[in-house]
Amino acid sequence: MSADVEDPQRRDILVVAATAFSAVGAASLIWPFVHQMNPDAGAQALASTEVDLSPIAEGQAITVMWRGKPVFIRNRTPEEVEAAKKVKVDELPDPVSRNENNPGTPATDANRTVEGQEKWLVMVGICTHLGCIPKGQALADSKGDFGGWFCPCHGSHYDTSGRIRKGPAPRNFDVPPYKFVSDTKILIG
Amino acid sequence: MSHESTYEPKSAAAKWWDQRLPVPRMMHDQFVDFPTPRNLNYLWTFGGILTFCLVAQIVTGIVLAMHYQPSAAEAFDSVDRIRRDVNYGWLIQAMHASGASMFFIAVYIHIFRGLYYGSYRAPREILWILGVFILLAMMATAFMGYALPWGQMSFWGVTVITNLFSSLDQVIPGLGTAIVQWLWGGYSVSGTTLNRFFSLHYLLPFVIFGLVILHIWALHVAGQNNPTGIEIKTKSDSVPMFPYAVMKDAFALFVFVILFAWFVLFMPDYLGHADNFNVADPLVTPPHIVPEWYFLPFYAILRAIPDKLGGVIAMFASIAILAFIPWLDRSPVRSTKYRPIYKWFFWLFLISCLALGYLGAKPAEGVYVFWARIFTAYYFAHFLIVMPIVGSMETPSKMPGSITDAVLGKKGAAKSDSGGGGVPAGATASPEDR
């Protein structure tokens, strides 16, 4: 068509190559601008906390901070453990244990605790609905219809194993990765 | 609306300038000699009022940024210092905080005016959609601004709203959590989050400013709609913007500023929330989290849906759907004034929005949830069912032939007038006879 262009195909490949290279170059610059907003190494380094359990008497609970989030630790009474064990998994709104130490297992009480230390319940104390802090840690708090925790924001009830039983929350409380370093000490994270 | 330029540079300097950068000519043609429908009512003054609100927020905001500390440790105290120590800080902080509410009062009136008089209809679809984008940008700005005082409501409002994105975990596991942590810059709302919100809160008003310029540009291409919904056809249908419309806008602005000043001077914290005078505490959630009043209808929609992801989708859809109404409304006329059936649905829609606002402030339980669901259903049904069906079934009432006839009461002059080039065609051509 155009006799004045010496080699149109050679010209085309130059244009395509130049455009492609600049597009890839520009696109690769997007990632630094996206990634700068993610948690940095400093935030990730705050990711483990050691907790001494010896001062927590039976029936009491404490809240510790881990990664800027509250972690609920409850020394459950034998009745509370018994109540949690009796519940059938297929009656639960969320049948998954949500335990990072036993990922993907059914939500039995045993799967949400550590074998031999069943009285200790350790979990992230954030309502899985929209992130409020539920009531139930202090002795005087409302513990909801199932004796565990109750979120006042939108009315979610959790049982003594921290599993969602009633209300809008979609998931059981998350159990963070943790291990017993001695009989009375745990390392979260 | 294109019309012949009447600008005549008077001095030699003005002529020199006019040949190089004819800004004075544009200002004269668009804001002095611009043809304005002669029948505009006071609802048409809110565009000017909103421009004032935007400028007021930017000016007071720039001043506040000179004294505010965007860090988790200092933010709360620095706002207190602004209110107590900074010279006239009490005034400027109150203007900025109340100004957000004033901005939303004005924008909601402006939107309902557009809905009533069909200002979204062709050829003003892009003008309307730009308005929807401005509303979205305003909401994002207001939300991030409310985080900055770093009180309990700030902190927990941010927690709840950013957690909305975690509902995406129901679509792709892990996606929602990844997005939320990306927004937070950590594993919970923290000073890092506050810092980026401050940066974006400063940026977005200028984005809004750019959108407003496009919005006004689109307005001046199509020309203003008016209470009859009939286009300007002859010279007698319009008056020059200056002094007629400008004076009317100025008067309405003064009345609006009196209301504004009353809030600022006599009840500066009335529209705020008492919990926000407690410093943010990540370990204690206030028993009853409510957003600012201007978000309540959307919050009610969010909570009306029993599914977490569904609620989030409904809330965003309630705004997104506005962008589609130029095509959902099938009526041959623009103005609800000439729509005897749709008129009732319009008021029902307004009542639904007000009711959702009331319900959004109530706890999400019992009868409140029931009514929130009813009104949420109507909110969507209004756009998806009423607008197309009533629009295509209803026979509009008798319309005046032109704006001049509507004002001066002449009847029947319309018959000779075939078409007028306006779209929708029926808007100008005696639709009651179709």
Side-chain angles (χ1 to χ4, degrees):
Chain A
M1 77 193 172
S2 46
D4 52 332
V5 177
E6 282 175 34
D7 189 350
Q9 269 152 16
R10 185 165 165 268
R11 194 55 61 89
D12 283 353
I13 205 123
L14 280 174
V15 171
V16 169
T19 313
F21 268 87
S22 36
V24 169
S28 64
L29 255 184
I30 293 171
W31 180 240
F33 284 89
V34 171
H35 193 49
Q36 51 88 17
M37 281 176 68
N38 274 321
D40 59 20
Q44 284 169 1
L46 294 172
S48 67
T49 310
E50 207 174 65
V51 185
D52 181 9
L53 303 178
S54 53
I56 312 168
E58 193 174 278
Q60 284 188 344
I62 61 160
T63 306
V64 297
M65 290 293 273
W66 171 69
R67 286 180 165 184
K69 297 193 270 205
V71 171
F72 289 174
I73 302 174
R74 195 192 271 195
N75 185 350
R76 299 183 294 172
T77 62
E79 298 81 57
E80 285 174 335
V81 175
E82 213 35 56
K85 281 189 168 158
K86 266 197 292 196
V87 183
K88 291 199 181 65
V89 171
D90 48 9
E91 288 168 8
L92 295 167
D94 178 15
V96 184
S97 67
R98 305 293 170 193
N99 184 347
E100 288 195 38
N101 309 293
N102 298 323
T105 49
T108 58
D109 191 58
N111 280 337
R112 289 176 58 78
T113 51
V114 173
E115 203 183 336
Q117 301 280 5
E118 278 89 356
K119 65 176 185 171
W120 294 106
L121 184 63
V122 179
M123 53 191 199
V124 176
I126 291 179
C127 182
T128 56
H129 181 224
L130 291 174
C132 298
I133 311 295
K135 298 272 169 204
Q137 286 294 89
L139 289 173
D141 277 357
S142 158
K143 292 185 165 57
D145 294 354
F146 299 89
W149 288 264
F150 169 69
C151 182
C153 290
H154 304 96
S156 293
H157 298 256
Y158 296 87
D159 68 11
T160 54
S161 191
R163 295 172 297 202
I164 179 67
R165 300 296 290 274
K166 193 173 128 190
R171 283 182 296 118
N172 303 326
F173 281 128
D174 291 314
V175 177
Y178 74 98
K179 58 177 186 239
F180 279 84
V181 286
S182 73
D183 264 358
T184 57
K185 222 174 234 174
I186 57 168
L187 180 71
I188 307 172
Chain B
M1 180 167 270
S2 57
H3 62 107
E4 212 165 306
S5 179
T6 55
Y7 177 71
E8 274 181 40
K10 295 202 173 60
S11 64
K15 277 197 190 95
W16 184 89
W17 191 265
D18 190 51
Q19 284 161 358
R20 285 159 180 82
L21 185 66
V23 171
R25 175 181 296 278
M26 183 196 74
M27 296 306 281
H28 180 270
D29 292 343
Q30 298 301 322
F31 301 102
V32 176
D33 195 38
F34 190 73
T36 311
R38 62 188 290 171
N39 59 340
L40 295 186
N41 61 33
Y42 274 105
L43 289 171
W44 261 268
T45 58
F46 282 87
I49 288 170
L50 284 163
T51 311
F52 167 82
C53 287
L54 177 61
V55 172
Q57 287 304 86
I58 289 177
V59 170
T60 53
I62 288 171
V63 172
L64 290 176
M66 294 177 185
H67 304 278
Y68 172 76
Q69 302 283 348
S71 83
E74 292 172 84
F76 187 83
D77 290 339
S78 76
V79 173
D80 223 29
R81 216 158 34 243
I82 289 170
R83 291 170 62 110
R84 289 159 190 267
D85 297 351
V86 172
N87 298 332
Y88 288 102
W90 60 270
L91 177 69
I92 294 163
Q93 192 274 340
M95 284 166 76
H96 197 72
S98 306
S101 285
M102 294 298 127
F103 208 155
F104 275 95
I105 290 174
V107 86
Y108 286 144
I109 295 174
H110 190 68
I111 292 168
F112 276 105
R113 188 269 291 154
L115 285 172
Y116 187 84
Y117 293 110
S119 301
Y120 48 85
R121 302 292 303 275
R124 298 186 182 83
E125 302 95 324
I126 290 181
L127 171 60
W128 173 262
I129 291 168
L130 282 166
V132 176
F133 283 127
I134 293 171
L135 176 65
L136 270 176
M138 277 176 65
M139 290 176 139
T141 310
F143 164 66
M144 289 194 264
Y146 195 59
L148 304 186
W150 210 236
Q152 273 290 66
M153 268 306 158
S154 301
F155 184 90
W156 290 100
V158 171
T159 300
V160 167
I161 300 300
T162 49
N163 259 312
L164 294 178
F165 290 97
S166 70
S167 63
L168 291 172
D169 278 343
Q170 284 172 253
V171 186
I172 301 172
L175 174 69
T177 308
I179 291 178
V180 171
Q181 289 180 356
W182 178 72
L183 290 171
W184 288 341
Y187 302 100
S188 59
V189 175
S190 64
T192 316
T193 323
L194 175 64
N195 232 303
R196 60 187 58 178
F197 274 27
F198 176 64
S199 167
L200 295 173
H201 182 72
Y202 205 120
L203 166 73
L204 278 179
F206 297 96
V207 174
I208 295 176
F209 198 87
L211 287 168
V212 166
I213 288 174
L214 293 179
H215 191 67
I216 295 174
W217 186 355
L219 174 72
H220 281 240
V221 171
Q224 281 155 301
N225 187 27
N226 64 80
T228 64
I230 302 169
E231 296 288 333
I232 293 174
K233 290 185 235 169
T234 57
K235 211 166 160 43
S236 75
D237 287 345
S238 71
V239 289
M241 186 156 169
F242 182 84
Y244 299 97
V246 171
M247 280 301 135
K248 192 162 184 154
D249 278 358
F251 177 72
L253 180 60
F254 283 129
V255 174
F256 183 83
V257 167
I258 291 171
L259 176 76
F260 194 154
W262 181 60
F263 272 106
V264 169
L265 299 173
F266 292 99
M267 41 208 299
D269 296 318
Y270 181 75
L271 296 165
H273 196 289
D275 258 318
N276 225 24
F277 289 91
N278 293 322
V279 68
D281 181 351
L283 288 179
V284 181
T285 306
H288 188 43
I289 301 180
V290 274
E292 292 285 81
W293 69 266
Y294 38 81
F295 291 142
L296 289 173
F298 305 102
Y299 195 57
I301 291 174
L302 167 76
R303 300 189 307 177
I305 312 286
D307 176 72
K308 182 170 162 183
L309 179 63
V312 174
I313 291 173
M315 188 181 74
F316 284 107
S318 67
I319 299 166
I321 199 170
L322 292 172
F324 297 95
I325 63 170
W327 296 278
L328 289 169
D329 185 352
R330 310 301 305 169
S331 173
V333 300
R334 289 199 186 95
S335 174
T336 305
K337 218 173 159 179
Y338 306 107
R339 300 184 60 184
I341 302 172
Y342 178 76
K343 192 176 273 180
W344 296 103
F345 287 103
F346 174 84
W347 294 113
L348 184 57
F349 177 70
L350 181 64
I351 290 168
S352 294
C353 292
L354 295 174
L356 283 171
Y358 168 78
L359 294 165
K362 293 286 159 194
E365 57 197 30
V367 71
Y368 298 124
V369 175
F370 172 78
W371 284 108
R373 285 179 187 162
I374 298 285
F375 287 115
T376 299
Y378 185 70
Y379 183 98
F380 288 102
H382 181 82
F383 295 122
L384 296 173
I385 300 171
V386 172
M387 272 196 167
I389 293 180
V390 174
S392 37
M393 283 169 48
E394 161 191 65
T395 306
S397 54
K398 177 106 181 109
M399 291 180 71
S402 68
I403 294 172
T404 310
D405 290 354
V407 175
L408 301 179
K410 257 193 297 168
K411 302 276 181 223
K415 298 291 179 219
S416 59
D417 197 337
S418 56
V423 250
T428 53
S430 302
E432 69 277 12
D433 296 339
R434 90 195 150 128

